[in-house]
Amino acid sequence: MSRVEGESGAVARDVADATPVDPGTSTLADGPRTREGRAAERVPDRARAARQAQMRTHNLSVALAQIVDAPAPPSRAQISAATGLARGTVTGLVDMLIEGGLVRELDPVVVARAGRPAVPLVPAPGRVAGVGMEVNVDYLGLRAVDLAGGVLVERVEHLDLRGSDPDTVLDRLASLAAPVLAGLATDGVRVAGTALALPGLVDRITGPLRYAPNLGWRDVDVVARLAAHPVLADLPPRVANEANLAARAEAHARRGAVAPSFLYVSGEVGVGGALVLDGEIFLGRHGWSGEIGHVVVDGGPDGTRPVSLEQRAGQDAIARAAGLAPGAPFADVVAALAAGDARARAAVRGAARWLGLAVATVANVVDVSEVVLGGTFALVYDEVEDVVAGALADRVIFANWSSPTVSRSAAGGYPAMTGGALAVLRTVVADPTPWLTPTAGS
């Protein structure tokens, strides 16, 4: 639960447990207490009823967020304590979510103190899903995730998309999505929406993909092109940078009593990054923050040809330094490491030194306490962790008091797809009402 949800939850309790009256507005109670006047007071005030309905929607969102975001299944009493909502209010809200098919109860748990056993609450699996899609340099795919965090279906195709034609690739993605969406509908799963992760600059204000250098795409209206396909016409994707969506999945995996804050680094053919503060992605003015791969780490042989982190620590750079063929899959690097290949180890640790230099620079600017290594860096984490941690200890000005730690990503494979699905599911949490089954609204 975010601080905003907690504060608004306390306000919601005060309003939900008392009849709201607009200050300064005359009511029938201000006039003579005639029999007709008392009868008129029992006529519902349409404006007041609207406010109560809005408050119910807000409180449903607060309660559902507590259940979806909890690292362990909470009880009604725990939700009440966390939000400040009255116990009776929470009970009513939770009952609506259960009847509406968004939440289910687990077996009661006997507690040490006297009283009735606590009933843990969890998101209902397989009822509502978000679909996260991704186009990256060497694969495209999609993953459907339900409110409980379960992966319902996944499809991934590995292929070389450098310098590809956007129309051809997006047509292929729509073709991949069609049977998945049809299958979910057949299984009775309602799809809340889709999201698409792309390895480039996505303008969060105006929408288009501005530039994906490794794909060779520039100024592509991805949403319009995908929405032209009948399968996605009613589910046009929201589009975001792949590192930002991967970081969203990472934040969800690390959720707990304290919202996580960290710098996420996504190692692919390119090198992406995202800053997470109190569980939320810092996007920047246009959504373009986190492009750590384009940080200059070397001036070149004569100091006049700047070299970026991506050129030193991207997949291609590591493979080349390891003596592998250009464009070789990173799995070949991992296999060479496992076989004890000295050249592969030197290539990976050399890339880690450049990575350490870049993340130390970012840490000095934004004051992060943890660096999370994802993507290819997670695959070779045991070889790079000490190098990156050493760079942070040596180069971060506040390291003597609080040196940033280094950890491996916990979000699993294809985290940007998961993050895209989670981004869609946040819309369900923000307003659960449209997703309740008809029995809940009756």
Side-chain angles (χ1 to χ4, degrees), residues 79-101:
I79 294 173
S80 176
T83 62
L85 288 164
R87 177 66 183 271
T89 300
V90 170
T91 296
L93 295 169
V94 169
D95 288 348
M96 285 188 65
L97 293 170
I98 291 172
E99 292 169 8

Side-chain angles (χ1 to χ4, degrees), residues 124-319:
R127 302 297 294 271
V128 177
V131 175
M133 305 185 291
E134 183 175 7
V135 173
N136 216 309
V137 179
D138 51 356
Y139 65 88
L140 58 78
L142 71 159
R143 172 181 284 167
V145 179
D146 63 18
L147 271 177
V151 176
L152 302 181
V153 63
E154 176 182 295
R155 297 288 184 271
V156 178
E157 289 188 0
H158 292 272
L159 60 170
D160 187 353
L161 298 177
R162 301 175 216 226
S164 56
D165 174 65
D167 288 331
T168 301
V169 174
L170 295 175
D171 285 348
R172 182 59 202 151
L173 182 63
S175 298
L176 201 64
V180 169
L181 295 173
L184 290 170
T186 299
D187 293 340
V189 180
R190 291 176 292 169
V191 176
T194 65
L196 174 61
L198 293 169
L201 299 178
V202 177
D203 195 321
R204 71 187 184 100
I205 297 175
T206 59
L209 170 74
R210 289 303 183 192
Y211 185 40
N214 290 312
L215 292 176
W217 296 7
R218 185 185 291 271
D219 290 325
V220 180
D221 192 345
V222 174
V223 175
R225 296 188 188 199
L226 284 175
H229 292 267
V231 66
L232 291 170
D234 294 328
L235 295 168
R238 54 179 62 198
V239 184
N241 173 266
E242 63 87 15
N244 286 338
L245 289 178
R248 181 179 290 276
E250 188 68 27
H252 185 76
R254 291 168 178 263
R255 68 195 186 281
V258 178
S261 296
F262 53 88
L263 172 66
Y264 179 82
V265 181
S266 172
E268 304 291 345
V269 172
V271 181
L275 182 61
V276 178
L277 299 174
D278 295 329
E280 296 296 329
I281 313 299
F282 175 76
L283 297 174
R285 177 67 180 85
H286 296 88
W288 299 340
S289 68
E291 291 292 342
I292 192 173
H294 297 280
V295 170
V296 173
V297 294
D298 188 0
D302 57 3
T304 62
R305 286 176 287 173
V307 180
S308 70
L309 174 63
E310 186 173 300
Q311 291 172 287
R312 294 291 193 217
Q315 283 186 18
D316 288 348
I318 296 174

Side-chain angles (χ1 to χ4, degrees), residues 333-429:
V333 176
V334 176
L337 274 178
D341 187 290
R343 189 171 179 182
R345 185 170 188 267
V348 168
R349 291 180 70 82
R353 283 190 286 274
W354 294 112
L355 176 62
L357 176 64
V359 297
T361 300
V362 174
N364 280 323
V365 174
V366 299
D367 182 19
V368 295
S369 59
E370 184 175 8
V371 176
V372 178
L373 302 183
T376 53
F377 299 124
L379 297 176
V380 294
Y381 179 81
D382 292 340
E383 288 291 347
V384 303
E385 184 273 335
D386 64 318
V387 179
V388 176
L392 290 168
D394 290 342
R395 297 181 178 275
V396 173
I397 192 170
F398 52 81
N400 287 339
W401 299 273
S402 180
S403 182
T405 59
V406 180
S407 62
R408 191 202 305 259
S409 170
Y414 305 114
M417 294 184 198
T418 298
L422 292 175
V424 170
L425 290 172
R426 293 317 295 180
T427 65
V428 177
V429 175

